[in-house]
Amino acid sequence: MASKKPVNRPSVRHPSHNHPLRVFKAQNEDEIICSGCELDLTGQAFKCTKDCDYFLHKSCFDLPCEINHKSHPDHPITLFYSPPYDHQSYECDACGEYGSGFTYNCSVCKYDVHVGCAFIPETVDREDHKHPLTLLYKIPCEDGKIYVCDVCEEEVSENLWTYYCKECDYGTHVHSCALDEDYEEEEEENRESSSAASRMKSLMKAQDEMAAMKLESRMKKAANNAIIYSIR
C-alpha cells in the first residue's frame, strides 16, 4: 500500500515573526491566544510552520501599518509588533488594560492603543437603554470630577474612552459594560472574556469593511478605465 505524500501547504511571511506562517483554522475548543491582539483565536488564522506557538488572526495579519485615529488627531499612530518600551509592555490609552502584543503607537506622545480597541464602533446599543451610546475619547465631565460607569458602578479613569448617552447622562466602560445587559461584578472571568470577544468582533468587522472599501475602489477604477478606453 502506497504511503500518502505529505501535504505541501503554502506559507506566507509576516514582519512580526522570523518564521513562515501557514493558514490555520482555529476552533473554539483549541483555547489558543493570538500573538498579535492577545485575544482568543477563532476562525481563519495563521500559525508558525516551525511550531513555535506563534499564531495570528487573519485580521491581525492584515492590519494597516499606520492609521489616523480620531482619538489622537495630532499625529498618525503606527503599528508596532511588540511594545516600544524597555519593559516590554504598554498600557492601552483606550481601555486602561496592559498589553504585550501588537499596539498602535505614537512615539512622540507615548500614546498606545490595543489593535482591537483601535477599531471599536463609534456607537453601540444596549437593550436596557433606549438611546445609542456614542464613543468618547475621554470621560464626559469636567477635570477633577469622578466619573462612574453606570453599569458596573466603578470609577472610570479620567483619560480613558467611554460610551456615553448625553441625553440621559448615562455612560459605560468601552468593552464589557457597554455590551452586556446582565453585568455581574463578581464574575471577573466572564467580564474579561466578554471584553476580549467584543474587541475581536469589532476588529474583524472593521477589517471586513476596509476590504470591502478597497474592493469597491478597485471596481470603480476598473470601470473608469473601461470608459476611458471606450472613448479612445
Side-chain angles (χ1 to χ4, degrees):
M1 182 177 179
S3 60
K4 293 183 179 179
K5 293 183 178 180
V7 178
N8 184 21
R9 297 179 179 177
S11 61
V12 294
R13 289 279 185 176
H14 193 268
S16 66
H17 193 61
N18 292 330
H19 302 143
L21 308 176
R22 64 175 175 83
V23 174
F24 172 73
K25 182 70 173 180
Q27 307 297 329
N28 291 333
E29 58 270 19
D30 293 334
E31 296 184 353
I32 299 171
I33 300 299
C34 174
S35 301
C37 63
E38 301 179 283
L39 304 177
D40 293 338
L41 195 75
T42 56
Q44 188 175 357
F46 294 90
K47 68 177 296 186
C48 179
T49 57
K50 304 296 182 182
D51 294 325
C52 62
D53 204 28
Y54 190 88
F55 300 87
L56 282 181
H57 285 105
K58 184 181 185 300
S59 53
C60 290
F61 185 95
D62 293 332
L63 285 169
C65 294
E66 184 178 272
I67 60 174
N68 293 300
H69 201 276
K70 291 181 180 179
S71 69
H72 196 70
D74 293 338
H75 309 110
I77 50 179
T78 303
L79 180 63
F80 279 72
Y81 301 122
S82 61
Y85 309 108
D86 293 338
H87 44 76
Q88 291 301 300
S89 66
Y90 66 91
E91 183 177 1
C92 177
D93 287 292
C95 67
E97 297 177 8
Y98 283 91
S100 58
F102 291 6
T103 176
Y104 277 109
N105 168 272
C106 173
S107 58
V108 176
C109 304
K110 301 295 187 293
Y111 182 82
D112 291 276
V113 177
H114 285 123
V115 293
C117 290
F119 297 103
I120 61 176
E122 293 192 356
T123 60
V124 297
D125 293 306
R126 281 185 59 89
E127 292 185 2
D128 60 357
H129 193 77
K130 60 182 178 180
H131 306 123
L133 306 182
T134 302
L135 180 62
L136 302 181
Y137 299 118
K138 63 178 181 178
I139 59 174
C141 60
E142 298 176 2
D143 293 344
K145 290 188 176 181
I146 295 175
Y147 181 74
V148 176
C149 173
D150 285 294
V151 177
C152 69
E153 298 183 350
E154 293 185 0
E155 181 181 347
V156 181
S157 298
E158 182 177 357
N159 295 321
L160 295 184
W161 301 0
T162 60
Y163 278 112
Y164 185 66
C165 172
K166 184 177 181 180
E167 184 173 348
C168 303
D169 190 26
Y170 177 95
T172 75
H173 289 95
V174 291
H175 290 312
S176 57
C177 296
L179 301 178
D180 292 349
E181 292 78 25
D182 298 318
Y183 181 88
E184 295 184 10
E185 183 176 348
E186 67 272 12
E187 293 186 358
E188 181 69 22
E189 183 178 348
N190 290 343
R191 181 172 68 178
E192 291 177 356
S193 175
S194 177
S195 173
S198 64
R199 286 214 308 271
M200 197 62 245
K201 183 178 179 180
S202 298
L203 173 61
M204 297 180 76
K205 179 181 178 181
Q207 292 300 312
D208 289 342
E209 290 175 352
M210 290 173 62
M213 290 172 62
K214 291 179 180 178
L215 177 60
E216 183 180 0
S217 176
R218 288 198 298 267
M219 292 177 67
K220 287 182 178 179
K221 185 176 180 180
N224 290 337
N225 289 340
I227 292 173
I228 294 172
Y229 181 80
S230 63
I231 293 175
R232 291 177 180 177

